[in-house]
Amino acid sequence: MIYSMTAFARSEIKKDWGTAVWEIRSVNQRFLETYFRLPEQFRSLEPVLRERFRKRLARGKVECALRFSANDAAVTTLNLNEALAKQVMHAADWVQAHGQSTGVNPLDVLRWPGVIAAEEADMDAIQADLLGAFETALNDFIDARATEGETLKTLIEQRLDGIETEVTKVTEQMPEVLKWQRERIQTRFEEAKVELEPGRLEQEMIMLAQKVDVAEELDRLNSHIGETRNILKKGGACGRRLDFMMQEFNRESNTLGSKSINSQTTQSAVELKVLIEQMREQIQNIE
């Protein structure tokens, strides 16, 4: 399976404690980099999330965000700190006894920090729910990368077919090109009224054939096509290997262009470079 480094996934969870939404997005990157935007009370989840990404992904710049909204209506129990309330009232009575107060409002006592508090939610249970929702988002995220990866694979295979067509075209043209060049050399000698020594034309043709021989380049291009198809078939984190293959394709296409002696071969060399560049652009997004 081929995976793209560009994807997006979203997962929402609703429970008695409230609502949470996970969002994961990524773009291409040479290595794996993860960035998190988490509410402060869930910062402790970051190492766990980072490790889960590391186990499932190889490359890409990944951004993970959590939006959390607590359900205040779910709090049904209030805890009164009676000892602290008595201390506050005692202090208020002392102040009143010294003529500094006219009375104590019970609601003011209740508003004193720490006197009354809502029952804290079970954070372990909430974190377990959040991790479950994250796993759902991560699975969807990887599925999205796989879907995009299959599209990229199809596009690359189409370009490989195009390269194969150009290689076949040049291979079939070479005998005709050499024949045309032989006739061209012979015509020039005749126009110059140069008396050819026995075997001179053959020597010139041998030297020319050595200069314009592209059989090795064509064989290498065919070999690169086969190797690239094998890499795509094997799948996995193969983006770097494919990128290396594009360098090899470029090297052979440049040599082919430099040895070209007719417009058809030059046109094929240009078409090869276009196809290779199109593949290279797609491969930049492959994990």
Side-chain angles (χ1 to χ4, degrees):
M1 183 73 72
I2 298 294
Y3 295 93
S4 170
M5 286 189 285
T6 304
F8 172 80
R10 183 180 186 275
S11 177
E12 182 176 358
I13 180 174
K14 294 183 178 180
K15 293 284 186 176
D16 292 339
W17 43 257
T19 304
V21 178
W22 287 102
E23 288 187 354
I24 307 174
R25 67 184 77 236
S26 69
V27 295
N28 51 335
Q29 179 72 292
R30 187 176 180 184
F31 303 104
L32 177 62
E33 295 183 6
T34 52
Y35 300 89
F36 299 93
R37 295 197 305 273
L38 307 176
E40 194 62 36
Q41 65 266 42
F42 299 113
R43 283 289 179 185
S44 60
L45 293 177
E46 186 170 324
V48 178
L49 302 178
R50 194 181 304 277
E51 180 64 17
R52 293 193 181 187
F53 277 128
R54 190 190 65 79
K55 289 182 178 180
R56 305 284 297 274
L57 307 176
R59 298 174 65 198
K61 179 180 178 181
V62 183
E63 296 181 359
C64 177
L66 170 64
R67 296 201 305 271
F68 180 81
S69 178
N71 181 11
D72 295 333
V75 179
T76 58
T77 304
L78 296 177
N79 295 322
L80 176 63
N81 189 335
E82 295 184 12
L84 180 58
K86 289 179 180 179
Q87 292 180 29
V88 173
M89 293 176 65
H90 178 73
D93 290 340
W94 183 89
V95 172
Q96 184 177 10
H98 289 76
Q100 301 298 318
S101 176
T102 58
V104 179
N105 188 334
L107 291 180
D108 291 336
V109 176
L110 294 177
R111 292 192 190 101
W112 191 267
V115 171
I116 192 170
E119 183 178 329
E120 293 187 1
D122 186 348
M123 293 301 293
D124 290 339
I126 294 177
Q127 289 188 5
D129 291 337
L130 291 177
L131 288 175
F134 170 80
E135 198 66 27
T136 300
L138 180 57
N139 290 334
D140 292 344
F141 175 71
I142 292 176
D143 289 343
R145 284 166 66 109
T147 300
E148 178 67 17
E150 285 301 303
T151 301
L152 295 175
K153 179 181 177 182
T154 300
L155 293 175
I156 293 171
E157 288 176 338
Q158 290 174 354
R159 272 60 180 183
L160 289 174
D161 292 340
I163 292 175
E164 202 166 30
T165 298
E166 295 302 323
V167 169
T168 301
K169 188 187 301 183
V170 174
T171 302
E172 294 174 348
Q173 288 175 352
M174 287 313 298
E176 188 66 26
V177 170
L178 292 176
K179 180 182 177 182
W180 169 78
Q181 190 66 15
R182 179 188 179 91
E183 294 174 352
R184 183 184 178 194
I185 292 175
Q186 190 170 11
T187 300
R188 287 187 174 181
F189 277 129
E190 291 174 355
E191 290 175 350
K193 297 180 181 180
V194 175
E195 189 70 25
L196 293 176
E197 298 178 3
R200 176 66 185 277
L201 181 60
E202 283 69 21
Q203 291 176 5
E204 292 290 336
M205 287 305 301
I206 290 174
M207 293 175 61
L208 177 65
Q210 290 175 344
K211 290 181 180 180
V212 301
D213 182 22
V214 294
E216 184 177 354
E217 285 74 19
L218 296 176
D219 287 342
R220 287 179 178 172
L221 283 170
N222 279 320
S223 175
H224 296 339
I225 291 170
E227 179 61 21
T228 303
R229 292 190 191 279
N230 288 335
I231 294 173
L232 291 172
K233 184 178 180 181
K234 184 177 179 181
C238 59
R240 292 177 183 173
R241 294 185 62 190
L242 290 172
D243 190 58
F244 171 76
M245 293 306 302
M246 295 307 102
Q247 298 177 35
E248 297 299 304
F249 271 113
N250 263 320
R251 182 178 293 110
E252 304 307 329
S253 66
N254 288 335
T255 305
L256 180 64
S258 66
K259 290 184 176 182
S260 173
I261 59 174
N262 73 337
S263 59
Q264 290 90 344
T265 306
T266 300
Q267 184 177 355
S268 291
V270 172
E271 182 64 19
L272 283 174
K273 292 189 71 66
V274 171
L275 292 168
I276 293 167
E277 179 60 22
Q278 289 175 347
M279 280 199 300
R280 191 192 66 80
E281 290 177 355
Q282 302 296 339
I283 287 170
Q284 298 305 307
N285 292 322
I286 293 180
E287 184 178 42

